[in-house]
Amino acid sequence: MKYEFDKLIDRKEHHSAKWNEMGNKFGTNDLIPMWIADMDFKTAPEIIEAMKEKLEHGVFGYVNRTDEYYKTACNWLKKRHGWDVSTENITYSPGVVPALSIIIQEFTKPGDKIIIQSPVYYPFFNVIEENNREIVLNPLKETERGYYEMDYEDLISKIDDAKFLILCNPHNPVGRVWKKQELKKLGKICFARGVKVISDEIHSDLIFKENKHVPFASLGKEFEENTITCFAPTKTFNIAGLYSSFIVFPNSKDKDIFEEALGRIDLKRNNPFSLVATMAAYEKGEPWLDELLVYLEENIDYMIEYIKENIPKIKVRKPEGTYLVWLDFRDYAFSKDELGRKMIEEAKIAFDDGLWFGNEGEGFQRINVACPRVMIEDVLKRLETVFK
């Protein structure tokens, strides 16, 4: 490989939330951190070089986004996902979760119902509740052990009076890359009842062989007109701390409302490094990403094989996308809190507990495999010691 993913990098002395906030979250920092969804790899050298040039320039005043900034994002969507997007419909956001919160504030009112498909990324719960909107759960349906599908019948029974559905595409934590026919069926149900879709597609570039990401809004004019889509280079290129994402709106009116809201809280500009990093990522980062996907898939395959041979009571299904794997401990029949306690006190591992993703996550743990292989090996030995 041209790029080095096996190298261990010490992050403890560099203000890493993943490594240094475990005491607040888990009660101790004496754990191997496999929780927060960022990577333990250096980002693409081309991105680092662009940031070095900005650093050496030495002037860090307010920055201006040119048309080229948005063109790089549009070109990436076209090349990587086959979706033609106009620069006129794209705007900046400091992050996807802040964008979700602002969209909810600006396009709904207190008490409005918003649908999410649990088990799902837990900030979805937070942005709805903290903005005084009502959560409507449309849980995914487990059709085979560890394989999830959307429950359309349940959705139809609950969709009336809802304002939005937040779609996780690809899905975090279960790793589904939704197929075109699944998305079309979902879209038709939403259109028929006047429910708009916010599609969180932050993991859209992290797709494994034999799977293809389909942007929800790319499926036709009616899909595009009914959808707000959230993208970012941050998960893809491990630059989450730079706070850069972009939102695709169906029309200029909705985009203007969002931009005015950002302006009211003065969050309308990139910082100098996020601007050049985003452009470098989309213009020059593809070779790094292609190698990263190979390494991540090898990590996952190694882990699945090890568990199958040594801890078969833990069930795991290979994700179709993301660098997150949904580990199933239900065969152990632990009580609600016992599984998490064993992870922290005995295995000394920090996972995202399945319960964080909703009640449907009970008995699961989510592992982040975007790290050097030696960390995966360490985790697996710890799991084997405790659970074999």
Side-chain angles (χ1 to χ4, degrees):
M1 278 190 170
K2 177 182 176 183
Y3 303 101
E4 192 173 19
F5 298 108
D6 266 328
K7 183 178 179 180
L8 277 172
I9 300 170
D10 185 359
R11 299 180 63 193
K12 292 179 184 177
E13 304 303 319
H14 293 272
H15 315 290
S16 167
K18 182 178 182 179
W19 286 80
N20 297 333
E21 291 183 6
M22 291 185 291
N24 295 333
K25 194 74 174 178
F26 300 96
T28 177
N29 268 322
D30 185 26
L31 308 172
I32 183 166
M34 312 298 284
W35 61 306
I36 286 179
D38 66 15
M39 306 188 213
D40 289 302
F41 309 129
K42 282 189 177 183
T43 189
E46 295 82 2
I47 296 173
I48 295 171
E49 187 58 36
M51 294 173 68
K52 281 182 178 178
E53 288 180 16
K54 177 59 71 175
L55 179 65
E56 289 168 2
H57 181 254
V59 181
F60 310 118
Y62 298 119
V63 295
N64 167 251
R65 286 188 298 274
T66 64
D67 287 343
E68 189 62 28
Y69 175 87
Y70 292 115
K71 283 178 183 175
T72 61
C74 291
N75 291 341
W76 181 265
L77 289 177
K78 173 65 175 175
K79 182 177 182 181
R80 204 78 188 178
H81 306 302
W83 186 26
D84 273 314
V85 174
S86 168
T87 57
E88 295 178 359
N89 291 342
I90 288 185
T91 195
Y92 162 81
S93 171
V96 168
V97 174
L100 294 176
S101 187
I102 291 169
I103 291 166
I104 288 169
Q105 291 170 20
E106 296 300 314
F107 295 95
T108 69
K109 60 183 185 299
D112 279 350
K113 297 178 179 179
I114 299 174
I115 301 167
I116 56 177
Q117 297 174 305
S118 53
V120 74
Y121 183 48
Y122 41 90
F124 287 10
F125 293 86
N126 300 338
V127 295
I128 297 171
E129 292 177 329
E130 290 169 8
N131 284 297
N132 300 311
R133 274 58 170 177
E134 182 181 337
I135 294 172
V136 177
L137 291 178
N138 168 225
L140 299 178
K141 184 166 54 176
E142 194 176 9
T143 56
E144 301 173 25
R145 186 73 180 255
Y147 187 80
Y148 292 84
E149 295 179 354
M150 297 187 201
D151 191 337
Y152 302 105
E153 291 182 7
D154 180 73
L155 176 62
I156 290 168
S157 73
K158 297 174 177 177
I159 198 169
D160 289 340
D161 302 323
K163 295 296 183 182
F164 274 101
L165 179 145
I166 304 179
L167 172 66
C168 201
N169 177 34
H171 194 280
N172 169 15
V174 306
R176 280 299 319 278
V177 174
W178 302 115
K179 294 179 174 58
K180 187 181 291 187
Q181 61 267 28
E182 293 175 297
L183 295 173
K184 281 189 172 181
K185 190 169 183 178
L186 175 72
K188 288 177 181 178
I189 294 170
C190 292
F191 303 147
R193 288 154 179 85
V195 174
K196 293 184 178 295
V197 175
I198 307 169
S199 189
D200 175 1
E201 305 192 10
I202 196 169
H203 292 280
S204 59
D205 298 319
L206 299 164
I207 308 296
F208 300 125
K209 294 191 298 284
E210 300 176 7
N211 297 284
K212 179 175 174 55
H213 175 70
V214 179
F216 184 74
S218 72
L219 289 170
K221 194 67 177 173
E222 58 181 2
F223 284 77
E224 188 176 339
E225 292 173 352
N226 201 52
T227 307
I228 299 171
T229 310
C230 304
F231 289 101
T234 51
K235 296 292 186 209
T236 307
F237 295 100
N238 200 30
I239 54 174
L242 294 180
Y243 291 97
S244 176
S245 68
F246 60 98
I247 315 302
V248 182
F249 283 92
N251 54 63
S252 59
K253 179 184 174 183
D254 288 352
K255 187 183 85 165
D256 290 346
I257 290 170
F258 182 86
E259 288 182 339
E260 286 170 11
L262 277 181
R264 286 197 299 272
I265 52 178
D266 200 22
L267 284 177
K268 57 188 178 182
R269 295 186 189 275
N270 294 74
N271 69 60
F273 294 102
S274 75
L275 188 140
V276 297
T278 296
M279 294 177 67
Y282 286 143
E283 290 175 338
K284 303 174 182 178
E286 192 168 40
W288 180 90
L289 172 59
D290 289 340
E291 284 198 11
L292 169 73
L293 290 172
V294 172
Y295 189 85
L296 291 175
E297 193 161 10
E298 288 174 352
N299 268 359
I300 291 169
D301 290 341
Y302 173 82
M303 183 181 69
I304 289 174
E305 190 60 31
Y306 187 99
I307 288 174
K308 193 179 294 184
E309 290 183 5
N310 300 284
I311 336 167
K313 208 170 178 182
I314 301 173
K315 299 296 186 289
V316 54
R317 191 177 189 109
K318 186 173 181 177
E320 297 166 345
T322 82
Y323 51 70
L324 309 165
V325 183
W326 196 226
L327 300 179
D328 182 352
F329 291 81
R330 287 176 295 178
D331 282 352
Y332 290 92
F334 291 125
S335 64
K336 201 166 191 176
D337 300 321
E338 190 178 1
L339 177 58
R341 182 193 62 76
K342 290 180 80 69
M343 288 299 172
I344 297 166
E345 296 179 5
E346 298 180 39
K348 295 291 185 180
I349 304 169
F351 287 145
D352 275 16
D353 194 291
L355 284 167
W356 299 357
F357 302 86
N359 290 332
E360 296 78 13
E362 183 175 352
F364 291 86
Q365 301 278 297
R366 191 195 75 175
I367 179 174
N368 172 358
V369 299
C371 59
R373 185 78 40 80
V374 66
M375 290 177 65
I376 301 290
E377 292 169 353
D378 188 359
V379 165
L380 291 171
K381 288 173 184 175
R382 295 180 187 209
L383 288 176
E384 184 178 6
T385 299
V386 174
F387 292 97
K388 188 171 184 179

